[in-house]
Amino acid sequence: MQRKISAFRELTHADLQKINDMKTCVAFKKGQVVLHEGARAQGVYCIHKGNLKFYKMNADGKEQILRFAMAGDLIGYRSLLSDEAIRVSVAALEDVHACYIPKASFFEIIHSNPKFSLNILEASCKELGEAGRVIASLAQKSVRERLAEVLLILNATFQQDADGNINLQLSREELASMIGTATESAIRLLSEFKEDKFVETSGRKIKILNNAALRKVANLYE
Amino acid sequence: MQRKISAFRELTHADLQKINDMKTCVAFKKGQVVLHEGARAQGVYCIHKGNLKFYKMNADGKEQILRFAMAGDLIGYRSLLSDEAIRVSVAALEDVHACYIPKASFFEIIHSNPKFSLNILEASCKELGEAGRVIASLAQKSVRERLAEVLLILNATFQQDADGNINLQLSREELASMIGTATESAIRLLSEFKEDKFVETSGRKIKILNNAALRKVANLYE
DNA sequence: CGATTAATTGATACTTCTCAAATCCTGTGG
DNA sequence: CCACAGGATTTGAGAAGTATCAATTAATCG
């Protein structure tokens, strides 16, 4: 589940050098919005350090988290390549280091380097597969099942810190938003999981204690 | 909303000829499954005629429709390009004519023809954007809002027949599955829309009578 | 340390699901 | 062509799952 693919892998040294010349280093503070829904992407960011969230805002100002980006991921390419406005905002969950490649340079690389576009194609196909899972989960599973599933996925995606906690800290509100439920409901179910000794929490740190039990709750047998 | 992009557009005559030599014509009967979740794709299908549904089956055998494919669409490429098993089954909603391009030939085209892979990349980015909309809708909207939204989207995507009905006929169960609700709930809400004169139905034919009202119900102001 | 925000718990209301029953529709065989 | 079986659709009633609102407690930040 951990992402290890960079769109830049397997490129020649010369190509990498060319890309290097086009890019600019940028940093984002925790909470800063990198891409705004509705705007036009002007380029892409390649993440070096720090996690980000993709989210949509609904009419009531409620946020819906769709997925995350982490080191090695490329963001903003969807809007450029589909030639549509940005449909999903992206914000830094922690301080982020990234490099910026402007639109023109990005298309130059894309056109001159088939391998690069194939790498992006592969990444977007994986994201598409993952989106399918999320859709089926939201449509068919109960909030309880979804919470268990999301905890397992976060645990697998972001790995664990030294103490075994999921290596990504979200507010209860953000956690609820991933699952598509009210904050209070997410909290209540998380409390149940704690009572059942499936998980353990300390502030925003969450530690999975019983993976198998959660898989069962989530109806995941893959 | 109507799809007009073929992955094969803008290819040279020579390229098209080459692809032509690699492909085989195939037909699927209504209801036939074209791609099976869990299997490995052996090639891609380019749809000439007929609509298909992408769906997932949950543990209880309940089907979740994710999206549709229609004439001009390419299916099966996600599994090949991400090198993963098929994650979403595809079945014909009506008799389908398609051409089949085996895996090896597909990769040959992809590698020798950057334009082709860019076209696919563009298509997959659009699908990804659409998947985001579906996720936010399922997570944040009520069943009533989702039904209105789905009716509008089907109407825009599949256009109307001579009588103004949505040019795609689904069972109530399939409609409910798109929305992620129980069949009875979908029927009840559809009946409400009929009472309110927002829609009119005749068997599986559905006709939108008041687009604006449905947009309002769906909270769509884009 | 206050002040503000986040997290938690309780009570209640609302939405949606499930089960049951009735009606409608469709294709098939007589 | 008609009757009929089996499935799809529709409606009702009650149960279950979630959301909302309110009140407390905990955590965080200047």
Side-chain angles (χ1 to χ4, degrees), chain B residues 35-85:
Chain B
L35 298 177
H36 289 85
E37 189 174 349
R40 283 273 162 181
Q42 301 302 320
V44 300
Y45 294 93
C46 175
I47 309 303
H48 289 166
K49 191 179 82 62
N51 297 313
L52 303 97
K53 63 179 173 185
F54 287 72
Y55 63 98
K56 271 174 175 285
M57 222 43 128
N58 74 3
D60 309 334
K62 203 174 144 196
E63 170 182 305
Q64 168 65 32
I65 294 184
L66 299 175
R67 57 195 180 88
F68 299 98
M70 52 175 66
D73 285 343
L74 204 62
I75 68 175
Y77 71 84
R78 202 212 59 83
S79 167
L80 288 183
L81 288 170
S82 65
D83 193 32
E84 296 173 336

Side-chain angles (χ1 to χ4, degrees), chain A residues 3 42 55 70 74 81 113 117 133 143 164 184 200 221:
Chain A
R3 280 173 240 177
Q42 302 300 321
Y55 63 98
M70 53 174 66
L74 204 62
L81 289 169
N113 203 318
S117 68
R133 181 196 61 72
V143 173
E184 296 93 324
E200 179 177 292
Y221 305 107

Side-chain angles (χ1 to χ4, degrees), chain A residues 142-143 181 185:
Chain A
S142 67
V143 173
T181 192
S185 299

Side-chain angles (χ1 to χ4, degrees), chain A:
Chain A
M1 191 70 76
Q2 190 189 17
R3 280 173 240 177
K4 17 186 188 316
I5 313 154
S6 158
F8 301 105
R9 87 202 132 107
E10 295 178 52
L11 298 188
T12 66
H13 191 72
D15 284 332
L16 287 173
Q17 187 55 52
K18 205 165 63 185
I19 293 170
N20 222 39
D21 295 341
M22 294 169 169
K23 73 167 209 260
T24 329
C25 286
V26 287
F28 297 100
K29 289 271 166 217
K30 176 175 176 172
Q32 211 176 335
V33 179
V34 177
L35 298 177
H36 289 85
E37 188 174 350
R40 281 272 162 182
Q42 302 300 321
V44 300
Y45 295 93
C46 175
I47 309 304
H48 289 165
K49 192 179 81 62
N51 297 313
L52 304 97
K53 63 179 173 186
F54 287 73
Y55 63 98
K56 271 174 175 285
M57 225 37 131
N58 75 3
D60 309 335
K62 204 175 145 197
E63 170 182 306
Q64 168 64 32
I65 295 183
L66 298 175
R67 58 195 178 87
F68 299 98
M70 53 174 66
D73 285 343
L74 204 62
I75 67 176
Y77 71 84
R78 202 211 61 81
S79 168
L80 287 184
L81 289 169
S82 65
D83 192 33
E84 296 173 336
I86 292 170
R87 295 177 65 158
V88 178
S89 301
V90 179
L93 286 168
E94 31 203 87
D95 288 356
V96 164
H97 290 178
C99 72
Y100 176 71
I101 303 173
K103 180 174 174 172
S105 308
F106 175 70
F107 275 110
E108 205 179 310
I109 306 172
I110 282 271
H111 286 119
S112 67
N113 203 318
K115 185 71 203 164
F116 182 66
S117 68
L118 276 180
N119 287 346
I120 295 183
L121 187 47
E122 182 178 338
S124 90
C125 285
K126 288 204 169 148
E127 281 170 22
L128 202 51
E130 189 56 14
R133 181 196 61 72
V134 174
I135 291 174
S137 175
L138 284 168
Q140 299 189 329
K141 294 190 175 182
S142 67
V143 173
R144 183 183 167 83
E145 290 171 306
R146 268 143 49 202
L147 177 60
E149 181 169 322
V150 159
L151 290 175
L152 288 168
I153 284 175
L154 289 177
N155 195 51
T157 308
F158 293 94
Q159 314 290 115
Q160 297 80 44
D161 67 12
D163 299 324
N165 301 303
I166 296 174
N167 220 337
L168 175 78
Q169 293 188 26
L170 297 174
S171 67
R172 296 290 189 263
E173 192 177 357
E174 286 170 324
L175 194 58
S177 139
M178 287 193 67
I179 300 165
T181 192
T183 308
E184 296 93 324
S185 299
I187 288 173
R188 248 180 271 272
L189 289 165
L190 196 58
S191 299
E192 278 183 36
F193 289 168
K194 281 188 270 190
E195 275 171 36
D196 295 341
K197 305 287 180 208
F198 295 166
V199 304
E200 179 177 292
T201 71
S202 150
R204 293 189 178 179
K205 290 184 188 144
I206 300 177
K207 182 173 174 179
I208 307 285
L209 297 177
N210 190 340
N211 214 290
L214 281 178
R215 293 186 79 76
K216 202 166 170 187
V217 171
N219 269 311
L220 283 177
Y221 305 107
E222 299 155 34

Side-chain angles (χ1 to χ4, degrees), chain B residues 2-19:
Chain B
Q2 190 189 18
R3 279 173 239 177
K4 15 187 189 316
I5 313 155
S6 159
F8 301 104
R9 86 201 135 109
E10 293 177 53
L11 297 188
T12 66
H13 190 72
D15 284 332
L16 287 172
Q17 187 56 53
K18 203 165 65 184
I19 292 169

Side-chain angles (χ1 to χ4, degrees), chain B residues 97-135:
Chain B
H97 291 178
C99 73
Y100 177 72
I101 303 173
K103 180 174 174 174
S105 308
F106 175 70
F107 276 109
E108 204 178 311
I109 306 172
I110 283 270
H111 285 120
S112 68
N113 203 318
K115 185 72 202 163
F116 181 68
S117 68
L118 277 179
N119 288 346
I120 296 184
L121 187 47
E122 181 178 339
S124 90
C125 285
K126 289 204 168 146
E127 281 171 22
L128 203 49
E130 189 56 16
R133 182 196 61 72
V134 173
I135 290 174

Side-chain angles (χ1 to χ4, degrees), chain B residues 148-172:
Chain B
E149 181 170 323
V150 159
L151 290 175
L152 289 168
I153 284 176
L154 290 176
N155 196 51
T157 308
F158 293 95
Q159 315 288 117
Q160 297 80 44
D161 67 13
D163 299 324
N165 301 302
I166 296 174
N167 220 338
L168 175 77
Q169 293 188 27
L170 297 174
S171 67
R172 296 291 188 262

